[in-house]
Amino acid sequence: MRRMIFRRELKSNARGLVIWSLVLGGLVLMMMSVYPSFAEDAQTAEEMLNVFPEPLAKVFGMDTLNLGTYTGFYGVEVHLINTLVGSVYAALLAAGMLAKEENDHTAEFLLSKPVTRIEVTGQKLAAVLTNLFMLNAVIAAVSFACTGFADEAVELDILVWYLLATFLLHVTVASVSFLLSAVMRRTRSIVSLALGIVFLSYALHIMAGLSDRFDFLRHVSLFSFTDAAAIVENGGLDAPCAAVMVLVSLLCALGAIGYYHNKDITG
């Protein structure tokens, strides 16, 4: 029973993991397969992008990133897909992880077994993190495989920072969603709120890039913490931003475990 919950969650979420991995891996492959065309005529590509309004170019990092390089093209065309779509998966995965036991009326049966509530939340959280790790492993494998499309030497350190930032963002979103799953009872409400947080954070990131008046929003948007242009400018993920995401993840995980330990379970 000690690891049965972990194995059960991995099995029940395996189909979703495969589908989301194929979708994200396929998107990375599809987008990066276009890169050689841009690299061959980088000047023309840059001239085409000049028609974009300056604020819009700034939002997507086109004012900083060079589409004629692998990491620049990846940062503009792929990194946002990985962070946004992957965050949706992380939210959906973690949002109902605990609440579903009450919704499906299996909580009392589960807790009647020789397992503590801390073990239940710990194993479910471990299952969430394992799924996210496997998803990001697929993204990383395809991303590195696609470097074969590049004729120039790829800045692998920047690519690694992109991937690390993506994984850290997914973990943060999942941790917040996991806390909601522990505190709230209705899975549908939890999923809606978790997805709302993801899209609100993305909207704040867009607003921060559109106008200097809203630049302060960068400090509250997780997507601004993992911005590709900022990673290239800093030569890596900003340490304070990474620390905030790690801290939020830890606090949410511990909060979920602590709250569920004392929660009045009905169902």
Side-chain angles (χ1 to χ4, degrees):
M1 189 67 188
R2 294 299 178 186
R3 295 182 62 83
M4 186 180 297
I5 298 171
F6 174 74
R7 291 195 295 267
R8 186 191 70 175
E9 292 300 340
L10 286 185
K11 183 178 180 180
S12 64
N13 289 289
R15 184 170 179 270
L17 173 63
V18 171
I19 292 173
W20 283 88
S21 297
L22 289 174
V23 169
L24 270 171
L27 286 173
V28 173
L29 179 61
M30 180 178 68
M31 297 303 298
M32 293 313 299
S33 66
V34 182
Y35 169 67
S37 300
F38 276 81
E40 286 177 7
D41 199 354
Q43 183 176 354
T44 302
E46 291 291 336
E47 290 174 354
M48 288 173 57
L49 292 174
N50 286 335
V51 302
F52 280 85
E54 184 178 345
L56 190 60
K58 184 179 179 182
V59 167
F60 295 102
M62 291 184 288
D63 61 330
T64 302
L65 301 174
N66 182 4
L67 285 172
T69 66
Y70 184 90
T71 51
F73 187 88
Y74 188 100
V76 173
E77 301 291 344
V78 177
H79 182 65
L80 181 58
I81 293 175
N82 290 341
T83 52
L84 181 57
V85 177
S87 291
V88 170
Y89 169 72
L92 292 173
L93 175 67
M97 190 60 73
L98 291 171
K100 68 181 181 181
E101 301 294 349
E102 293 181 75
N103 280 261
D104 297 341
H105 305 291
T106 57
E108 290 183 350
F109 173 78
L110 176 64
L111 296 175
S112 68
K113 300 298 181 181
V115 60
T116 66
R117 293 191 182 193
I118 292 178
E119 288 175 326
V120 170
T121 50
Q123 289 188 45
K124 283 178 174 285
L125 181 59
V128 170
L129 296 177
T130 300
N131 276 274
L132 292 179
F133 178 80
M134 290 189 287
L135 174 72
N136 279 268
V138 171
I139 294 173
V142 176
S143 298
F144 279 106
C146 287
T147 58
F149 290 127
D151 291 329
E152 82 280 5
V154 177
E155 297 176 284
L156 294 179
D157 56 332
I158 296 297
L159 181 58
V160 169
W161 279 115
Y162 284 158
L163 296 170
L164 179 61
T166 300
F167 178 63
L168 192 53
L169 175 60
H170 293 170
V171 170
T172 305
V173 170
S175 299
V176 173
S177 302
F178 192 73
L179 175 60
L180 294 175
S181 185
V183 174
M184 301 172 66
R185 295 184 184 277
R186 295 187 61 184
T187 302
R188 183 176 299 179
S189 299
I190 299 169
V191 170
S192 298
L193 182 55
L195 291 177
I197 291 173
V198 171
F199 291 119
L200 175 61
S201 184
Y202 178 65
L204 293 177
H205 170 64
I206 297 296
M207 291 178 63
L210 288 176
S211 173
D212 292 337
R213 292 180 299 172
F214 300 119
D215 191 65
F216 68 93
L217 294 176
R218 293 182 181 277
H219 303 297
V220 294
S221 170
L222 292 173
F223 289 91
S224 293
F225 290 178
T226 58
D227 182 59
I231 290 175
V232 171
E233 288 181 334
N234 298 328
L237 186 61
D238 185 60
C241 292
V244 168
M245 288 191 286
V246 170
L247 182 61
V248 169
S249 298
L250 288 175
L251 290 177
C252 288
L254 293 175
I257 293 172
Y259 189 91
Y260 198 78
H261 178 66
N262 299 302
K263 186 178 182 180
D264 180 23
I265 303 296
T266 58

